[in-house]
Amino acid sequence: MAIAASGAETQPRQSRGRLFSYAIEFEKGGLVLHGEEHPACTFIVKDEPEWHRLLCSDAYELALAFIHAKFEVEGDLVEAVKIYRSLSATRSRLAPRTIAAYLWHQLRSRVNRGSSATDIRFHYDRSNEFYGTFLDSRMVYSCAYFQTQETSLEKAQLAKLNHICRKLQLLVGDRFLDVGCGWGALVLHAADEYGAFSTGCTLSAEQRAWAVEEATRRHLTPRVEILECDYRELTGKFDKIASVGMFEHVGLRQLRTYFLQIRLLLADGGLFLNHGIVRPECVRTGPETMFLARHVFPGGELLRLTDIVQCAEYVGFEVVDLENLRPHYALTCRAWVSHLTVNREKCLEWVDPGTYRTWLLYLAASAASFESGDTEVHQILFANRGGERPLTRDYLYR
């Protein structure tokens, strides 16, 4: 999540060559329009002093105000986040919260197996029904792969599954492992469409139950196994391994352990695809990081690309392929925000209003962050150093 604000300026700066347009509606009466005639969004606040107080708040305070319905946003919530970010910020106001965020980040990065399980269940064991209100029919909770901006989320998620399987050069009979398999979409797809013997592991009982039921419904149980366990407890050898959207829970302190375990599980000549969100070198930890750690992803940590590649190389991997899917995750998060908004009443059957608003804001702010380049998502294909490789990338387009 990335959201920032300031009270020093009332006109938003240009972004991507166009001027943001927004309106402010006061509950006590009055409407102020900034920019073009048709605003992308309207902020509804108590009065003008309250609006200026919000603008002087840091990202953490703003997020809590939204969650507790201290103000409302009508229209495009992603654009609303971008408008807040575009308004000038008084950096001295952010410093104490930024320092607190850094200390919180350092404390939470000391991940052990017990805390990992607790953290994962905090985020994922809300209810399968709640996640079903905004995810696609396969329950894929990671970056989709869009052919065009008009591609549906359903088609884009299917394209992502195929994109991963092709990068891994998945073959009939391959022993395939999905680390942190979520609701099992990739595991099931690899077994059903590519003929692999697929294993998935998750720390979420809710996710495992859904994946097992889906494997049974599709008559895939002879080729599919879903385990509820920590990846560090896995044994055996696998020809192809994927980790999609799980890497954010590993953290810098556990990075070497992570890669060593994957290398131990990977058979000679095998391939490993690591798909995860990355923080660019120039982007620092801020108040939004502490909000995510406390209210959305406890135990989560975004790493730098240099740290990831360096650590993987130290344990014996080499990089075969690297792709930045940042624009695709921006589109994915926008689609999830749209689904959450449309299905608001259904969502509230499964979670309380505060949880609904938390997820809505975190996904909208994530979309804004990916669009601005403050966060990226990389697919990195690794292999043990020194093996034979295809001379071209034709296997991706068969």
Side-chain angles (χ1 to χ4, degrees):
M1 173 181 168
I3 182 171
S6 165
E9 186 177 305
T10 58
Q11 289 293 336
R13 295 193 297 270
Q14 283 189 317
S15 177
R16 296 188 170 184
R18 69 182 180 84
L19 188 67
F20 286 125
S21 176
Y22 69 101
I24 311 164
E25 181 180 329
F26 301 115
E27 293 176 1
K28 294 185 176 181
L31 180 71
V32 179
L33 178 65
H34 292 275
E36 302 167 358
E37 182 180 353
H38 302 291
C41 60
T42 299
F43 300 95
I44 304 173
V45 297
K46 179 181 177 182
D47 49 30
E48 189 169 357
E50 177 66 10
W51 169 249
H52 287 291
R53 189 193 69 78
L54 289 172
L55 290 182
C56 291
S57 301
D58 64 28
Y60 189 89
E61 293 165 336
L62 278 171
L64 292 184
F66 180 81
I67 289 170
H68 297 302
K70 301 298 184 181
F71 68 96
E72 299 290 342
V73 177
E74 290 184 354
D76 192 331
L77 185 59
V78 179
E79 291 300 312
V81 173
K82 291 163 75 173
I83 287 166
Y84 264 126
R85 297 182 69 195
S86 71
L87 297 172
S88 297
T90 305
R91 297 305 174 188
S92 60
R93 281 273 301 157
L94 298 179
R97 188 77 72 175
T98 300
I99 294 170
Y102 174 78
L103 295 174
W104 178 266
H105 167 79
Q106 292 296 103
L107 177 65
R108 293 300 298 156
S109 66
R110 304 186 183 195
V111 179
N112 58 46
R113 298 190 188 190
S115 64
S116 291
T118 301
D119 293 341
I120 292 295
R121 287 162 188 156
F122 173 90
H123 187 85
Y124 294 102
D125 282 356
R126 296 290 172 176
S127 79
N128 292 334
E129 291 80 6
F130 168 64
Y131 282 100
T133 60
F134 67 92
L135 300 181
D136 64 302
S137 65
R138 297 176 184 84
M139 300 283 280
V140 184
Y141 193 27
S142 55
C143 176
Y145 193 72
F146 291 81
Q147 293 299 317
T148 71
Q149 293 196 6
E150 287 70 41
T151 301
S152 70
L153 180 64
E154 193 75 17
K155 289 182 178 179
Q157 290 293 13
L158 176 59
K160 188 269 295 293
L161 298 180
N162 283 319
H163 198 53
I164 290 172
C165 290
R166 287 170 184 157
K167 281 188 177 182
L168 287 169
Q169 302 165 54
L170 205 58
L171 302 172
V172 174
D174 273 350
R175 297 163 295 174
F176 171 65
L177 170 66
D178 186 5
V179 179
C181 67
W183 287 273
L186 182 57
V187 175
L188 300 173
H189 189 72
D192 198 14
E193 298 297 327
Y194 291 82
F197 291 97
S198 299
T199 300
C201 70
T202 175
L203 290 171
S204 167
E206 290 274 346
Q207 289 181 333
R208 180 183 181 275
W210 197 96
V212 169
E213 183 178 343
E214 189 66 8
T216 301
R217 185 186 70 81
R218 294 167 58 177
H219 307 291
L220 294 173
T221 49
R223 296 200 304 276
V224 169
E225 182 180 26
I226 307 294
L227 306 173
E228 185 183 345
C229 70
D230 191 288
Y231 73 96
R232 289 163 286 195
E233 299 169 0
L234 293 169
T235 58
K237 290 289 183 180
F238 300 89
D239 303 300
K240 311 291 170 59
I241 301 176
S243 173
V244 184
M246 172 271 185
F247 187 64
E248 297 84 349
H249 298 281
V250 172
L252 186 60
R253 292 176 183 268
Q254 294 294 320
L255 192 58
R256 182 177 175 83
T257 298
Y258 173 78
F259 279 120
L260 283 171
Q261 174 66 356
I262 298 297
R263 190 157 190 262
L264 183 66
L265 295 169
L266 189 64
D268 292 340
L271 293 169
F272 165 50
L273 185 136
N274 191 85
H275 171 127
I277 301 173
V278 172
R279 173 173 285 137
E281 295 286 346
C282 60
V283 179
R284 63 180 181 177
T285 298
E288 66 278 358
T289 304
M290 187 162 65
F291 171 78
L292 287 172
R294 286 184 171 179
H295 299 277
V296 184
F297 279 112
E301 181 181 5
L302 300 186
L303 304 181
R304 314 289 184 182
L305 183 60
T306 50
D307 291 328
I308 298 165
V309 173
Q310 184 181 67
C311 188
E313 289 183 339
Y314 272 134
V315 305
F317 283 123
E318 68 175 2
V319 175
V320 177
D321 186 88
L322 191 152
E323 183 178 12
N324 185 353
L325 300 180
R326 179 185 62 78
H328 296 270
Y329 221 159
L331 290 170
T332 304
C333 289
R334 275 191 174 271
W336 288 340
V337 169
S338 177
H339 290 179
L340 268 177
T341 303
V342 169
N343 295 317
R344 178 181 180 277
E345 297 306 318
K346 190 174 181 180
C347 289
L348 293 176
E349 295 177 9
W350 303 105
V351 297
D352 61 80
T355 298
Y356 169 76
R357 292 172 74 93
T358 298
W359 255 247
L360 189 64
L361 178 60
Y362 125 70
L363 292 174
S366 295
S369 188
F370 283 116
E371 288 181 6
S372 69
D374 284 346
T375 47
E376 301 171 346
V377 58
H378 290 266
Q379 285 188 351
I380 312 175
L381 185 65
F382 293 105
N384 292 325
R385 189 175 299 118
E388 294 186 3
R389 304 284 172 261
L391 295 179
T392 72
R393 302 172 82 240
D394 291 346
Y395 57 86
L396 274 175
Y397 308 105
R398 67 174 186 261

